[in-house]
Amino acid sequence: MPHIYEQQLTKIAELLRQAKRVLFITGAGISADSGLPTYRGVGGLYNKERTEDGYAIEDCLSRSMFDVRPEITWKYMLQIGIAVAEHQPNDAHRIIAKWEQQFAQRGGKVVVLTQNIDGYHRVAGSKNVYEFHGSFGTLECTECSWTESFEMGDDIRERLKQLCQTLPPKCPQCKAVIRPRVIMFEEMLPRQTLMQFEKEFDNGRGFDLVFTIGTSAMFPYITAPIHTAASKGIPTVEINPADSALPNSVEIHLQMRAAEALREIDKR
């Protein structure tokens, strides 16, 4: 039986065959297929208006909260970190990584811009990844040069619990508060990462196919590449089970979950 989106899936597969440089913009929806809950939405960790501490989750995970009540921020950071450690990349991450290798073999390039801090794209094998919100895979001291990085396969969950027996966790060297190398609410995006990503557009290279997967696309750095592509007539694809977040800029919208959609495209 033909898939409900047979025409669109076939067209996307053809666009991939013709493309030389492809951009994937990914959000929480791509990792939801790993069983990793999103902050909010269906199965979200924090669907209530307030956490049990009386704050919105965005306030708990903000820099201003971390500065005055780091134990509150760490309470919820720890929940997220343990959730990340308990799950693995899914077919969507793995297929994008496979396509990156295939494109490189024929002189092309696949680039991933992700909002996610789970590190699943890199674990799946992707190399050209811009983690705009950082990654939970590295902890660092707020005062000295101490850092500790985790690789998938280590017992991250137990190490986090060990470090966080008392909140907030303290640096083993200087006893200052430590933090994961992620961007909290109210913090600026990493300038170096932004500059490196901007170089992907230098010398007129840009991309000839742009995907957005599992993101509500609320932020300018997410929407800009999509709007730019659409204005230049470059094909754009949105994969999201919800209604399109960018109906005027997306050429093809698959109202599907990420792993299912990429498996179907990969088949073709």
Side-chain angles (χ1 to χ4, degrees), residues 30-56:
I30 196 170
S31 295
D33 285 333
S34 294
L36 188 65
T38 57
Y39 290 121
R40 299 189 186 278
V42 178
L45 279 172
Y46 310 110
N47 283 337
K48 296 180 180 178
E49 287 296 316
R50 300 283 174 175
T51 63
E52 61 184 55
D53 292 289
Y55 304 100

Side-chain angles (χ1 to χ4, degrees), residues 31-37 80-90 118 120 123 152:
S31 295
D33 285 333
S34 294
L36 188 65
I80 294 167
I82 289 174
V84 167
E86 289 179 337
H87 296 83
Q88 300 282 337
N90 61 63
D118 51 46
Y120 288 170
V123 175
M152 187 64 73

